[in-house]
């Protein structure tokens, strides 16, 4: 191994250096304080867990993203978390096991075996909130509002909210009576919105059912999409109308507080289809191709831990949010203090630090380059003044 190899990091694994690290940490604290003000309690799940609990409930994709190792104490397989959501579901169902509504939030590093998209990090800092114990649309609306408040606090700019509901696809699929293999092929083609591939996958399927599935490709856009869906599904797939009505209600609730919010409906949105059970949503901003935050309803994931619970939540990546912040955050000035054990000086430095100031002990001839002020003694008192004016009258 050469000296160059020793400092290289794996693809998709990044270190965050100052001052960006300070900006990320400040944003993390700001957002966790925001969640606390909404009643969400912080939990800190472990970095690794036994795979039988870590990989249950959120589909095959999570399994592929998870690094595995063997526990040297028990010999059992472990996984490095690739998503904190199932861990929080375990905490709600087993560790807390509270009755009624539980609101939890979290922030922590996760690790992926491969990037989720071309430019994505393999070591995101996941931050999010989950609401358990309420299956109403009001709970979904609360979570969406908290997600939007998160992006507002981060100052990301104009937000477009993407809304969908997995119940629409499920209702349409039930009409087609597809085999398991056909379902997988149709699912893949619909995710890519490829009509030619859909036609091939649906060859031999009832024409009316096939037409309904293919029609999903074009059911995206503004609120007029919901009216088109009602006309399309009224006779052929009436079960889908419940999901369409839910989307209409959620959008109306959100617009009462945010009348200018841009809402984009996508009735073929299948993100997380294998574990989501209702409303799904994502937030986009101009100039950023991937969703900045996303989530949805995922009822009964906690059943594998002994308690099925209604659940809805969202997550975002602090590193992705950081990429939208100013490239060079304005540096905070600092105060240089003499290297002395004078009790008055130490006491003054402690008070300044308690007020949020950075006070740096001057160990060398010159102060730390971040310092723009210094502590000097005047008439027995330690006072702060601009750096380099200590000799001034």
């Amino acid at each position: 191994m050469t000296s160059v190899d020793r400092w290289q990091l794996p693809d998709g694994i990044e270190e965050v250096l100052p001052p960006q690290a300070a900006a990320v940490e400040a944003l993390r604290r700001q957002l966790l304080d925001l969640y606390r003000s909404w009643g969400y309690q912080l939990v800190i799940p472990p970095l690794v867990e036994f795979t039988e609990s870590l990989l249950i409930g959120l589909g095959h994709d999570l399994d592929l993203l998870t690094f595995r190792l063997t526990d040297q104490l028990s010999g059992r397989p472990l996984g490095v978390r690739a998503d904190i959501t199932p861990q929080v579901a375990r905490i709600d169902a087993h560790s807390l096991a509270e009755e009624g509504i539980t609101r939890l939030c979290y922030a922590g590093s996760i690790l992926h075996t491969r990037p989720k998209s071309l430019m994505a990090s393999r070591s995101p800092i996941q931050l999010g909130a989950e609401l358990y114990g309420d299956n109403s649309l009001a709970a979904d609306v609360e979570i969406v509002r908290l997600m939007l408040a998160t992006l507002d606090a981060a100052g990301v700019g104009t937000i477009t909210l993407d809304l969908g509901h997995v119940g629409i696809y499920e209702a349409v699929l039930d009409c087609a009576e597809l085999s398991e293999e056909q379902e997988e092929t149709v699912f893949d083609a619909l995710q890519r919105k490829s009509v030619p591939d859909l036609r091939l996958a649906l060859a031999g399927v009832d024409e009316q059912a096939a037409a309904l599935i293919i029609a999903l490709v074009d059911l995206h856009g503004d609120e007029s999409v919901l009216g088109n869906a009602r006309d399309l599904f009224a006779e052929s797939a009436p079960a889908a109308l419940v999901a369409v009505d839910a989307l209409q209600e959620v959008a109306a609730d959100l617009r009462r507080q945010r009348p200018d919010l841009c809402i984009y409906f996508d009735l073929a949105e299948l993100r997380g289809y294998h574990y989501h059970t209702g409303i799904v949503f994502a937030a986009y901003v101009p100039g950023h191709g991937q969703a900045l935050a996303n989530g949805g309803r995922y009822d009964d994931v906690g059943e594998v831990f002994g308690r099925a619970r209604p659940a809805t939540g969202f997550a975002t990546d602090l590193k992705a949010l950081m990429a939208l912040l100013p490239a060079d955050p304005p540096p905070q000035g600092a105060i240089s203090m003499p290297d002395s054990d004078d009790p008055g000086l130490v006491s003054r430095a402690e008070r300044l630090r308690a007020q949020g100031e950075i006070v740096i002990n001057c160990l060398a001839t010159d102060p730390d380059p971040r310092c723009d002020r210094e502590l000097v003694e005047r008439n027995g008192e330690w006072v702060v003044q601009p750096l380099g004016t200590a000799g001034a009258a």
Side-chain angles (χ1 to χ4, degrees):
M1 178 181 290
T2 68
S3 60
V4 172
D5 295 328
R6 291 190 177 95
W7 58 256
Q8 287 184 332
L9 292 172
D11 289 343
I13 306 295
E14 312 88 13
E15 54 197 3
V16 184
L17 304 178
Q20 285 75 26
V24 169
E25 177 61 12
L27 182 59
R28 184 190 70 87
R29 295 180 187 181
Q30 179 186 1
L31 294 177
L32 290 179
D33 285 345
L34 171 69
Y35 302 160
R36 179 178 177 274
S37 73
W38 283 54
Y40 288 76
Q41 302 177 89
L42 178 65
V43 292
I44 306 176
L47 183 63
V48 297
E49 289 198 37
F50 293 121
T51 53
E52 54 258 43
S53 62
L54 191 65
L55 300 181
I56 286 177
L58 291 191
H60 183 59
D61 290 346
L62 185 63
D63 189 35
L64 295 176
L65 288 172
T66 301
F67 277 96
R68 302 163 186 269
L69 60 154
T70 301
D71 182 12
Q72 296 299 307
L73 295 181
S74 67
R76 295 170 62 186
L78 296 173
V80 180
R81 65 187 182 197
D83 189 328
I84 298 178
T85 304
Q87 296 184 292
V88 181
R90 175 186 56 76
I91 288 172
D92 169 72
H94 178 72
S95 303
L96 291 177
E98 296 175 343
E99 296 300 325
I101 297 173
T102 301
R103 292 175 170 88
L104 302 175
C105 63
Y106 58 86
S109 294
I110 59 176
L111 186 64
H112 293 161
T113 55
R114 62 191 74 182
K116 278 189 169 183
S117 61
L118 185 62
M119 301 302 293
S121 169
R122 288 203 294 155
S123 57
I125 303 174
Q126 186 179 347
L127 177 140
E130 315 292 333
L131 192 157
Y132 299 97
D134 191 298
N135 61 3
S136 69
L137 288 179
D140 294 311
V141 170
E142 177 178 319
I143 281 291
V144 174
R145 284 177 174 156
L146 185 55
M147 180 185 74
L148 297 174
T150 296
L151 300 181
D152 288 342
V156 300
T158 304
I159 301 168
T160 295
L161 177 66
D162 187 292
L163 275 182
H165 196 302
V166 299
I168 294 172
Y169 176 65
E170 289 174 345
V172 171
L173 207 63
D174 286 344
C175 300
E177 299 180 352
L178 303 179
S179 68
E180 186 175 335
E181 183 179 349
Q182 282 177 310
E183 281 189 23
E184 290 180 3
T185 307
V186 167
F187 178 81
D188 176 67
L190 195 55
Q191 278 190 308
R192 294 182 284 108
K193 290 184 167 55
S194 172
V195 172
D197 287 342
L198 275 175
R199 294 191 189 280
L200 285 174
L202 294 168
V205 175
D206 176 79
E207 287 186 11
Q208 186 177 25
L212 280 180
I213 294 174
I214 293 171
L216 288 174
V217 172
D218 295 321
L219 287 177
H220 56 88
D222 61 22
E223 203 153 344
S224 64
V225 165
L226 302 184
N228 296 338
R230 287 192 181 93
D231 294 338
L232 184 64
F233 301 140
E235 294 183 5
S236 303
L241 299 182
V242 176
V244 174
D245 290 342
L247 287 174
Q248 183 94 56
E249 184 176 337
V250 166
D253 283 352
L254 291 170
R255 285 204 171 108
R256 275 193 281 273
Q257 285 193 6
R258 301 176 68 116
D260 296 330
L261 177 65
C262 179
I263 299 179
Y264 186 89
F265 297 92
D266 188 348
L267 305 196
E269 173 53 68
L270 299 177
R271 184 190 325 105
Y273 169 73
H274 296 295
Y275 63 90
H276 277 139
T277 60
I279 294 285
V280 291
F281 48 86
Y284 294 86
V285 297
H288 193 80
Q290 302 298 316
L292 267 187
N294 56 60
R297 178 160 289 279
Y298 58 104
D299 292 345
D300 300 334
V301 168
E303 184 175 8
V304 295
F305 304 114
R307 202 166 67 124
R309 295 260 279 169
T312 182
F314 80 92
T316 186
D317 175 16
L318 278 176
K319 285 186 178 179
L321 293 181
M322 179 191 70
L324 299 179
L325 298 176
D328 295 306
Q332 178 183 353
I335 301 170
S336 178
M337 65 176 283
D339 182 25
S340 168
D341 57 3
D342 181 284
L345 174 63
V346 173
S347 176
R348 181 74 169 112
E350 288 175 351
R351 292 198 303 274
L352 288 167
R353 288 169 176 149
Q355 295 167 10
E357 294 282 4
I358 299 173
V359 183
I360 302 175
N361 198 26
C362 185
L363 297 175
T365 304
D366 296 321
D368 186 284
R370 289 169 288 173
C371 293
D372 57 1
R373 290 157 293 159
E374 62 183 335
L375 276 166
V376 298
E377 189 176 17
R378 294 275 178 110
N379 301 320
E381 296 288 336
W382 288 96
V383 298
V384 179
Q385 65 179 36
L387 189 66
T389 60

